[in-house]
Amino acid sequence: MAHANTCLIVTKIIDMSNNIRETNEVTQFQAESIAFWDADIEKMKEVGFSEKDNDETGLRIKKKMTEDFFNRNGKLPKVFRTNHRRVYSPLTGMSRKMRQFLTYEGKQLNEIDTANSQPLLLVYEINRKGFDVEDELTEIVETGKFYDLFKKEGKTKDQVKIDVFTFMYASKINTEHQVFKILNNRFPKFTNSLLQYLKGLPSLSLLLHKIESNIWIDFVSAACMHAGIKHATIHDSIVFPGDNSTVNNVLDIIDAAFGDISPTQIGRAHV
């Protein structure tokens, strides 16, 4: 198994604009993995892209990358990493409903992600840095119940998530935001630790992306690569073929990546 500090050699810079797009041995391995997978392209096109993606530029890039996958003609798909953080591939441009039509040797792929990933990662990081966090909050994020803290009558879970994301992805912490007030009222140790930890950091959203990529790319993807498990990551999830033994190996890698935090995995194993 690879260690968290595995050295990844950058092999090629694809482009430099607002983001540095680079490839390394992990992105190369993911590209080679995806190249082996088949797809029912017609069914995928019928499903289409996620309606939640209202970013026109992002949607255009995703469509282009997915079209490249549809028309790959034996070529390796483009897989790259931006600013040493997130990895992008044709799969990141596909909705979950589209990905269900990906197969390997006639079998549907497995997909595993973690419940309430961003809050989980935040608690993970603050714990790891030695700041105080209430045990109750740690248990809540580990069991995937974070968004239940903000339930409101007449609001769907997706709407609640949007409220939380407007807080977590703001340029700076808004202590007047309803999400902060709810957290501060119930978990004052956590909110105090959060404010202390973020002093001098550019933004919470950049921090979360960095933590996410450190876990899912530098640890999970690197470990799967060294274990010979063909896979592709989709930000905070992983897609791969294999039987129960492979699924258990990937779950063990994810557990090791999160250390003392025990995430609730949302498994979609098809074995």
Side-chain angles (χ1 to χ4, degrees):
M1 179 182 297
H3 296 287
N5 60 353
T6 299
C7 180
L8 302 177
I9 302 171
V10 176
T11 58
K12 180 183 178 183
I13 300 295
I14 296 178
D15 182 30
M16 290 187 66
S17 52
N18 292 330
N19 291 316
I20 298 175
R21 299 181 181 183
E22 62 189 24
T23 61
N24 57 30
E25 56 184 329
V26 165
T27 60
Q28 178 71 13
F29 188 86
Q30 289 197 25
E32 292 170 355
S33 298
I34 296 170
F36 277 96
W37 300 343
D38 297 315
D40 189 327
I41 295 175
E42 293 309 314
K43 286 185 178 179
M44 294 176 88
K45 288 181 177 179
E46 287 177 10
V47 170
F49 291 85
S50 172
E51 294 179 358
K52 296 178 183 178
D53 195 336
N54 55 8
D55 176 359
E56 290 185 8
T57 302
L59 185 57
R60 186 172 65 252
I61 293 171
K62 288 178 179 181
K63 284 184 176 180
K64 176 64 168 63
M65 294 182 72
T66 307
E67 286 294 332
D68 288 346
F69 175 75
F70 290 162
N71 304 308
R72 51 191 162 157
N73 296 321
K75 296 179 181 178
L76 282 182
K78 290 181 181 178
V79 180
F80 59 85
R81 193 172 187 180
T82 58
N83 298 337
H84 309 292
R85 292 193 290 270
R86 284 186 156 181
V87 165
Y88 291 86
S89 75
L91 270 65
T92 59
M94 297 178 187
S95 67
R96 192 181 298 279
K97 289 182 179 179
M98 291 176 77
R99 293 198 299 271
Q100 69 180 309
F101 299 114
L102 289 169
T103 60
Y104 177 66
E105 295 183 345
K107 293 183 179 179
Q108 193 172 358
L109 303 182
N110 307 298
E111 181 167 357
I112 296 173
D113 60 15
T114 52
N116 51 225
S117 175
Q118 300 294 348
L120 176 71
L121 293 175
L122 184 57
V123 171
Y124 162 91
E125 178 68 5
I126 289 177
N127 266 326
R128 192 174 70 86
K129 293 294 186 180
F131 290 92
D132 287 334
V133 177
E134 286 83 353
D135 291 341
E136 182 189 2
L137 180 58
T138 301
E139 181 180 354
I140 286 172
V141 296
E142 288 182 345
T143 54
K145 298 177 181 177
F146 181 77
Y147 296 111
D148 292 346
L149 294 170
F150 311 100
K151 278 184 176 177
K152 284 185 179 181
E153 188 175 348
K155 280 201 171 186
T156 65
K157 187 173 182 178
D158 283 342
Q159 289 172 327
V160 170
K161 283 185 176 182
I162 290 173
D163 288 343
V164 174
F165 288 163
T166 58
F167 167 71
M168 299 185 77
Y169 287 97
S171 58
K172 61 180 181 178
I173 292 293
N174 179 6
T175 57
E176 295 301 313
H177 197 287
Q178 187 63 24
V179 168
F180 183 89
K181 289 181 178 179
I182 292 171
L183 288 172
N184 191 51
N185 183 57
R186 189 163 172 180
F187 307 111
K189 287 183 181 178
F190 167 73
T191 52
N192 182 63
S193 293
L194 177 63
L195 292 172
Q196 292 296 317
Y197 179 62
L198 288 176
K199 283 183 178 179
L201 295 178
S203 74
L204 179 56
S205 61
L206 289 177
L207 171 67
L208 289 173
H209 282 169
K210 184 175 184 297
I211 301 168
E212 174 192 90
S213 67
N214 285 346
I215 289 175
W216 287 97
I217 308 305
D218 298 328
F219 196 116
V220 174
S221 186
C224 286
M225 177 184 68
H226 288 293
I229 300 171
K230 295 186 183 302
H231 70 281
T233 53
I234 307 167
H235 305 325
D236 59 358
S237 68
I238 185 167
V239 177
F240 58 97
D243 56 14
N244 279 321
S245 176
T246 305
V247 171
N248 289 332
N249 284 343
V250 173
L251 289 173
D252 287 343
I253 289 170
I254 294 172
D255 283 339
F258 277 88
D260 294 333
I261 296 288
S262 301
T264 295
Q265 286 99 13
I266 304 174
R268 294 175 180 83
H270 304 283
V271 297

